[in-house]
Amino acid sequence: MVNVPELFGSMVFNQSVMKQRLPKETFKLLKKTLDDGAPLELDVANVVAHAMKEWAIENGATHYAHWFQPLTGITAEKHDSFINPQDDGTVIMSFSGKELVKGEPDASSFPSGGHRATFEARGYTVWDPTSYPFIKEHTLCIPTAFCSYTGEALDKKTPLLRSMEALDTQAKRILKLFGKNVSHVATTVGAEQEYFIVDHELWTQRKDLRMTGRTLFGAKPSKGQEMDDQYFAALNPRIVKYMEDLNETLWKYGILSKTEHNEAAPAQHEMAPIFNTTNLAVDQNQLTMEVMKKVAKRHGLECLLHEKPFAGVNGSGKHNNWSMSTNEGENLLEPGKTPESNAQFLLFLTAILKSVDENQDLLRISVASAGNDHRLGANEAPPAIISVYLGDELYKVLSSIVEGKTYANDKSSKMTIGVDVLPPIPRDSTDRNRTSPFAFTGNKFEFRSCGSALSIAGPNTALNSIVADALKTFADELEKASDFEAALNALIEREVKAHWRIVFNGNGYDESWKAEAAKRGLMELKTLPDAMAHYLDPKNIRLYTEMEVYTKEEMESHYEIKLEKYAQVLNIEVNTMLEMISKDILPAAYKYIDAVSKTVIDLKAVVPGARAGAQVALLTKLDGLTTELAAKADDLSKRHLSAKSAGDAMSIARAYVDSVIPAMTEARAVADEIEPLIGEEYKPFPCYEDLLFRI
Ligand code: ADP
Ligand code: MG
């Protein structure tokens, strides 16, 4: 048995290690940086770096790396060893404060969306002391932000930190109005991570899984998830071993992996960590995804993080549980027990309704990726329409405010904020409405549209920014009011009414919701290009620049990067698809046709007048289908070629959506019709049944 408390965080240079290893005075100064963001002086950094190096070497590290999150969405690291040559031919192990605080990776291979053309060619990384360094495979990893020399963010961490700061500033203004002087408000996140596990040997035989992370072909297996026997079912022994190893590895990195269970689809599982401040939660989710893949390989398995590895089987998402909390530990989304605390809760809630309603596009954009487009709106994940689920009790309370009606069970007529007490709001831990993209679950919101492979930096940057913006307009208004209580009542009533359309408690999978949402004027942004078309709207540039999260130039570069990445993903998918058709699927079909034809000839030689009806029918069918598949591949190839030269990034992305993806679907449909007709020994690669059920 492992000793979990001993194991936990053993590879992390956390506050407890800092306290143990640093001189008291240095620890105090570093703590000031951690808590209040005070700048770290070089002499302090030198002492910290030395202690960190000693600790790292004791724990087997030989190298250090600035660990950062470029706009590719995955993490990057540049390794340097601690060795420092001496005159006498020996080396010492050294690590300076300067090396800890700042690094200069070669930035030229990371996307910048034109940044580098207009700005400086190189970028540098700076330590983010609020996220702890950790040791990963003999390397001390130092979480860093990545910027250009002119200060533009080249990564996902910098804007995230800026958005947390924006929210901190505005939330503190609101709390002050309620007589609270807190030193810090941070957002908190718990990211539930879904994933698939398949056998490594089978995985290597599928070019599509290796190259694109998802299957581009595959007929539905005879057994899918319809029996519901997988969800929370007992775990397969190989998976149990994997999960044990995964948990132990995550615990070493100080990641609070708490629950694990099977998910709805066969071979699908989930890991939920205990929540943390957003910055740490984001870093840890990045690390979690990396660890999930690595540990799987150790067990002869392969972890699939793609949003939709298998057609016709539920895809994977990431529920981003989000809240705001003061340094004194008050969760601002916890409904209160007194009228005053309720009023404060309702004001924050109203700010969220306003921000989500006004920025449906920004939230949708923040979860847009080629992979996630397969899930959103496909009746297995929240629809592409953004709405808010409140749960019955809160819905009743707010509708009484909107409609001025009596709140059920309440003697007084309308609820008066700051005077009446809220009814008890039960915590909804049961995922009662899984169809809602943004659901209140008792003391937090759950943003459920995130894709499983996505970095959650983007969605949280968007969330923090839009809520900060709404809080700002509220604070601007309320700070001026002479009668705070009256102003508060009026504001909440007015704003809830104005944004009531965003509240939807019904079934998001229902076809009728689309029509209803359209009637309400809500946006349905089905694909990444549909969503990105709104990114540079003046409203969005105003919001992000005013909240000082992105500059206009940064947004312009993100626009390019997102569209280019989308086209790149599809480009690889089409190439892989065409290759599999011509190298795997058609040759397998021909071989089988040839074999069956021979049996007919042989049969007729032995049995003159034999009908060979089944074989002939099969051969006719296969002849028709292979001819059709070749034609579809041809068509796909032509469309792909013309999409690639469609013009600017948006036109190319649009051409993929409008012309190429439909051709991919058509080609796949024919291939999937061929698959079950081919004899087992002739099949070109493992099928769905193999991948989903052979573990
Ligand atoms: P469960 O869904 O397992 O019953 P919860 O609903 O409490 O449990 O938690 C689901 C996820 O939400 C977990 O990752 C949890 O840590 C996270 N979570 C709980 N409280 C908060 C909070 N205040 N802020 C952010 N995330 C939270
Ligand atoms: Mg959940």
Short mmCIF file of all heavy atoms in Angstrom, two decimals, residues 189-194 263 270-271 273 316-322 375 380-382 431 433-434 436-437 445-452 456:
data_model
loop_
_atom_site.label_atom_id
_atom_site.label_comp_id
_atom_site.label_asym_id
_atom_site.label_seq_id
_atom_site.Cartn_x
_atom_site.Cartn_y
_atom_site.Cartn_z
N VAL A 189 -11.40 26.51 -9.91
CA VAL A 189 -11.81 25.61 -10.97
C VAL A 189 -11.55 24.15 -10.59
O VAL A 189 -10.50 23.81 -10.06
CB VAL A 189 -11.09 25.94 -12.29
CG1 VAL A 189 -11.16 24.79 -13.28
CG2 VAL A 189 -11.68 27.20 -12.91
N GLY A 190 -12.51 23.32 -10.87
CA GLY A 190 -12.33 21.86 -10.80
C GLY A 190 -12.71 21.31 -12.17
O GLY A 190 -13.84 21.48 -12.61
N ALA A 191 -11.73 20.72 -12.85
CA ALA A 191 -11.99 20.28 -14.23
C ALA A 191 -12.13 18.77 -14.29
O ALA A 191 -11.17 18.04 -14.09
CB ALA A 191 -10.85 20.72 -15.14
N GLU A 192 -13.34 18.31 -14.52
CA GLU A 192 -13.57 16.87 -14.65
C GLU A 192 -13.14 16.44 -16.05
O GLU A 192 -13.61 16.97 -17.04
CB GLU A 192 -15.05 16.55 -14.46
CG GLU A 192 -15.59 16.98 -13.10
CD GLU A 192 -17.11 16.97 -13.06
OE1 GLU A 192 -17.70 15.91 -13.29
OE2 GLU A 192 -17.69 18.04 -12.81
N GLN A 193 -12.23 15.50 -16.10
CA GLN A 193 -11.58 15.13 -17.37
C GLN A 193 -12.06 13.76 -17.85
O GLN A 193 -11.86 12.76 -17.19
CB GLN A 193 -10.07 15.10 -17.16
CG GLN A 193 -9.25 14.63 -18.34
CD GLN A 193 -9.18 15.68 -19.45
OE1 GLN A 193 -8.88 16.84 -19.19
NE2 GLN A 193 -9.47 15.27 -20.68
N GLU A 194 -12.67 13.73 -19.03
CA GLU A 194 -13.08 12.44 -19.61
C GLU A 194 -12.03 11.97 -20.61
O GLU A 194 -11.34 12.78 -21.23
CB GLU A 194 -14.43 12.59 -20.32
CG GLU A 194 -15.58 12.81 -19.37
CD GLU A 194 -16.93 12.91 -20.07
OE1 GLU A 194 -16.98 13.23 -21.27
OE2 GLU A 194 -17.95 12.68 -19.40
N GLU A 263 -17.35 6.01 -17.74
CA GLU A 263 -18.32 6.97 -18.26
C GLU A 263 -19.37 6.23 -19.08
O GLU A 263 -19.42 5.00 -19.10
CB GLU A 263 -17.59 8.03 -19.08
CG GLU A 263 -17.34 9.30 -18.30
CD GLU A 263 -18.62 9.95 -17.77
OE1 GLU A 263 -19.63 9.88 -18.48
OE2 GLU A 263 -18.61 10.48 -16.65
N GLU A 270 -13.50 8.74 -16.44
CA GLU A 270 -13.40 10.14 -16.03
C GLU A 270 -12.55 10.27 -14.77
O GLU A 270 -12.55 9.41 -13.92
CB GLU A 270 -14.80 10.70 -15.74
CG GLU A 270 -14.76 12.15 -15.32
CD GLU A 270 -16.10 12.66 -14.80
OE1 GLU A 270 -17.03 12.81 -15.61
OE2 GLU A 270 -16.21 12.89 -13.59
N MET A 271 -11.82 11.38 -14.69
CA MET A 271 -11.08 11.68 -13.48
C MET A 271 -11.49 13.08 -13.02
O MET A 271 -11.45 14.03 -13.80
CB MET A 271 -9.57 11.66 -13.78
CG MET A 271 -8.67 11.71 -12.55
SD MET A 271 -8.59 13.30 -11.73
CE MET A 271 -7.54 14.22 -12.86
N PRO A 273 -10.67 16.05 -10.26
CA PRO A 273 -9.80 16.50 -9.18
C PRO A 273 -10.58 17.39 -8.22
O PRO A 273 -11.66 17.87 -8.55
CB PRO A 273 -8.78 17.35 -9.92
CG PRO A 273 -9.55 17.95 -11.05
CD PRO A 273 -10.64 16.97 -11.39
N SER A 316 -15.94 12.86 -25.57
CA SER A 316 -15.42 13.26 -24.25
C SER A 316 -15.40 14.77 -24.10
O SER A 316 -15.02 15.49 -25.01
CB SER A 316 -13.99 12.75 -24.06
OG SER A 316 -13.94 11.35 -24.13
N GLY A 317 -15.75 15.18 -22.90
CA GLY A 317 -15.72 16.61 -22.60
C GLY A 317 -14.94 16.85 -21.33
O GLY A 317 -14.27 15.97 -20.79
N LYS A 318 -15.03 18.09 -20.90
CA LYS A 318 -14.35 18.46 -19.68
C LYS A 318 -15.30 19.44 -18.99
O LYS A 318 -15.58 20.49 -19.54
CB LYS A 318 -13.03 19.12 -20.06
CG LYS A 318 -12.13 19.39 -18.95
CD LYS A 318 -10.68 19.07 -19.30
CE LYS A 318 -10.11 19.78 -20.50
NZ LYS A 318 -8.78 19.29 -20.87
N HIS A 319 -15.84 19.05 -17.85
CA HIS A 319 -16.72 19.98 -17.13
C HIS A 319 -15.86 20.92 -16.31
O HIS A 319 -15.11 20.49 -15.44
CB HIS A 319 -17.68 19.21 -16.22
CG HIS A 319 -18.72 18.46 -16.98
ND1 HIS A 319 -19.64 17.65 -16.38
CD2 HIS A 319 -18.99 18.42 -18.31
CE1 HIS A 319 -20.44 17.13 -17.31
NE2 HIS A 319 -20.06 17.58 -18.49
N ASN A 320 -16.01 22.19 -16.63
CA ASN A 320 -15.21 23.19 -15.95
C ASN A 320 -16.04 23.80 -14.81
O ASN A 320 -16.85 24.69 -15.03
CB ASN A 320 -14.81 24.26 -16.98
CG ASN A 320 -13.79 25.24 -16.46
OD1 ASN A 320 -12.59 25.00 -16.50
ND2 ASN A 320 -14.26 26.38 -15.96
N ASN A 321 -15.87 23.26 -13.60
CA ASN A 321 -16.59 23.79 -12.44
C ASN A 321 -15.90 25.07 -12.01
O ASN A 321 -14.69 25.07 -11.78
CB ASN A 321 -16.57 22.78 -11.30
CG ASN A 321 -17.34 21.53 -11.65
OD1 ASN A 321 -18.54 21.46 -11.42
ND2 ASN A 321 -16.68 20.56 -12.24
N TRP A 322 -16.68 26.13 -11.88
CA TRP A 322 -16.08 27.46 -11.70
C TRP A 322 -16.78 28.24 -10.60
O TRP A 322 -18.01 28.23 -10.52
CB TRP A 322 -16.18 28.20 -13.04
CG TRP A 322 -15.68 29.60 -13.08
CD1 TRP A 322 -14.43 30.00 -13.43
CD2 TRP A 322 -16.42 30.80 -12.79
NE1 TRP A 322 -14.34 31.37 -13.37
CE2 TRP A 322 -15.54 31.88 -12.99
CE3 TRP A 322 -17.73 31.06 -12.38
CZ2 TRP A 322 -15.93 33.21 -12.80
CZ3 TRP A 322 -18.12 32.38 -12.18
CH2 TRP A 322 -17.22 33.44 -12.39
N ARG A 375 -18.96 17.32 -31.16
CA ARG A 375 -19.76 17.01 -29.97
C ARG A 375 -20.90 17.99 -29.77
O ARG A 375 -22.02 17.60 -29.54
CB ARG A 375 -18.89 17.14 -28.72
CG ARG A 375 -18.13 15.95 -28.30
CD ARG A 375 -17.27 16.33 -27.11
NE ARG A 375 -18.03 16.40 -25.87
CZ ARG A 375 -18.13 17.46 -25.08
NH1 ARG A 375 -17.54 18.59 -25.41
NH2 ARG A 375 -18.80 17.41 -23.96
N GLU A 380 -25.29 14.63 -27.20
CA GLU A 380 -24.50 13.87 -26.24
C GLU A 380 -23.77 14.85 -25.36
O GLU A 380 -23.24 14.51 -24.34
CB GLU A 380 -23.48 13.02 -26.99
CG GLU A 380 -22.63 13.89 -27.89
CD GLU A 380 -21.38 13.19 -28.36
OE1 GLU A 380 -20.39 13.26 -27.63
OE2 GLU A 380 -21.42 12.58 -29.44
N ALA A 381 -23.71 16.09 -25.82
CA ALA A 381 -23.03 17.15 -25.11
C ALA A 381 -23.95 18.35 -25.20
O ALA A 381 -24.90 18.33 -25.98
CB ALA A 381 -21.70 17.45 -25.80
N PRO A 382 -23.68 19.40 -24.42
CA PRO A 382 -24.54 20.57 -24.52
C PRO A 382 -24.62 21.05 -25.96
O PRO A 382 -23.70 20.85 -26.74
CB PRO A 382 -23.83 21.60 -23.66
CG PRO A 382 -22.92 20.85 -22.80
CD PRO A 382 -22.59 19.58 -23.48
N ASP A 431 -25.60 16.10 -11.54
CA ASP A 431 -25.62 16.42 -12.96
C ASP A 431 -27.05 16.33 -13.50
O ASP A 431 -27.30 15.74 -14.53
CB ASP A 431 -24.75 15.43 -13.76
CG ASP A 431 -23.28 15.73 -13.58
OD1 ASP A 431 -22.97 16.82 -13.12
OD2 ASP A 431 -22.47 14.86 -13.92
N ASN A 433 -29.14 18.23 -14.91
CA ASN A 433 -29.39 18.60 -16.28
C ASN A 433 -28.08 18.62 -17.05
O ASN A 433 -27.42 19.63 -17.18
CB ASN A 433 -30.07 19.97 -16.37
CG ASN A 433 -30.57 20.22 -17.76
OD1 ASN A 433 -30.11 19.59 -18.71
ND2 ASN A 433 -31.51 21.13 -17.91
N ARG A 434 -27.73 17.47 -17.56
CA ARG A 434 -26.45 17.35 -18.29
C ARG A 434 -26.50 18.04 -19.64
O ARG A 434 -25.50 18.17 -20.30
CB ARG A 434 -26.12 15.87 -18.52
CG ARG A 434 -25.67 15.15 -17.28
CD ARG A 434 -25.46 13.68 -17.58
NE ARG A 434 -24.27 13.47 -18.37
CZ ARG A 434 -23.07 13.21 -17.86
NH1 ARG A 434 -22.92 13.17 -16.57
NH2 ARG A 434 -22.03 13.01 -18.64
N SER A 436 -27.36 21.09 -20.20
CA SER A 436 -27.14 22.53 -20.17
C SER A 436 -25.65 22.87 -20.28
O SER A 436 -24.82 22.27 -19.60
CB SER A 436 -27.69 23.12 -18.88
OG SER A 436 -27.35 24.49 -18.81
N PRO A 437 -25.32 23.85 -21.12
CA PRO A 437 -23.91 24.21 -21.26
C PRO A 437 -23.35 24.93 -20.04
O PRO A 437 -22.16 24.90 -19.79
CB PRO A 437 -23.89 25.14 -22.46
CG PRO A 437 -25.28 25.50 -22.76
CD PRO A 437 -26.19 24.55 -22.05
N PHE A 445 -20.73 27.28 -10.86
CA PHE A 445 -21.27 27.02 -12.19
C PHE A 445 -20.44 25.96 -12.87
O PHE A 445 -19.22 25.90 -12.66
CB PHE A 445 -21.30 28.28 -13.05
CG PHE A 445 -22.57 29.07 -12.88
CD1 PHE A 445 -22.62 30.12 -11.98
CD2 PHE A 445 -23.71 28.76 -13.61
CE1 PHE A 445 -23.80 30.84 -11.80
CE2 PHE A 445 -24.88 29.47 -13.45
CZ PHE A 445 -24.92 30.52 -12.54
N GLU A 446 -21.10 25.17 -13.68
CA GLU A 446 -20.39 24.14 -14.40
C GLU A 446 -20.48 24.48 -15.89
O GLU A 446 -21.56 24.42 -16.46
CB GLU A 446 -21.07 22.80 -14.11
CG GLU A 446 -20.12 21.65 -14.05
CD GLU A 446 -20.79 20.36 -13.61
OE1 GLU A 446 -21.49 20.34 -12.59
OE2 GLU A 446 -20.59 19.36 -14.31
N PHE A 447 -19.36 24.85 -16.48
CA PHE A 447 -19.32 25.14 -17.92
C PHE A 447 -19.01 23.81 -18.59
O PHE A 447 -17.92 23.29 -18.47
CB PHE A 447 -18.24 26.19 -18.19
CG PHE A 447 -18.19 26.69 -19.61
CD1 PHE A 447 -19.28 26.58 -20.48
CD2 PHE A 447 -17.04 27.32 -20.08
CE1 PHE A 447 -19.21 27.06 -21.78
CE2 PHE A 447 -16.96 27.81 -21.38
CZ PHE A 447 -18.05 27.67 -22.23
N ARG A 448 -20.02 23.28 -19.28
CA ARG A 448 -19.91 21.90 -19.74
C ARG A 448 -19.57 21.75 -21.21
O ARG A 448 -19.57 20.65 -21.75
CB ARG A 448 -21.25 21.18 -19.50
CG ARG A 448 -21.68 21.16 -18.05
CD ARG A 448 -22.57 19.96 -17.82
NE ARG A 448 -22.99 19.84 -16.45
CZ ARG A 448 -24.23 20.11 -16.03
NH1 ARG A 448 -25.14 20.53 -16.89
NH2 ARG A 448 -24.54 19.96 -14.77
N SER A 449 -19.32 22.87 -21.88
CA SER A 449 -19.09 22.78 -23.32
C SER A 449 -17.63 22.52 -23.68
O SER A 449 -17.30 22.38 -24.85
CB SER A 449 -19.55 24.07 -24.01
OG SER A 449 -20.81 24.44 -23.56
N CYS A 450 -16.75 22.52 -22.68
CA CYS A 450 -15.32 22.38 -22.98
C CYS A 450 -15.04 20.99 -23.56
O CYS A 450 -15.61 20.01 -23.11
CB CYS A 450 -14.49 22.55 -21.72
SG CYS A 450 -14.84 24.08 -20.84
N GLY A 451 -14.15 20.95 -24.50
CA GLY A 451 -13.76 19.68 -25.09
C GLY A 451 -12.69 19.01 -24.24
O GLY A 451 -11.95 19.67 -23.52
N SER A 452 -12.60 17.68 -24.35
CA SER A 452 -11.68 16.95 -23.49
C SER A 452 -10.22 17.26 -23.76
O SER A 452 -9.39 17.18 -22.87
CB SER A 452 -11.92 15.45 -23.64
OG SER A 452 -11.95 15.11 -25.01
N ILE A 456 -7.99 24.38 -20.65
CA ILE A 456 -9.09 25.16 -20.07
C ILE A 456 -8.66 26.59 -19.77
O ILE A 456 -9.42 27.36 -19.18
CB ILE A 456 -9.67 24.50 -18.80
CG1 ILE A 456 -8.56 24.09 -17.84
CG2 ILE A 456 -10.57 23.34 -19.17
CD1 ILE A 456 -9.05 23.71 -16.47
#
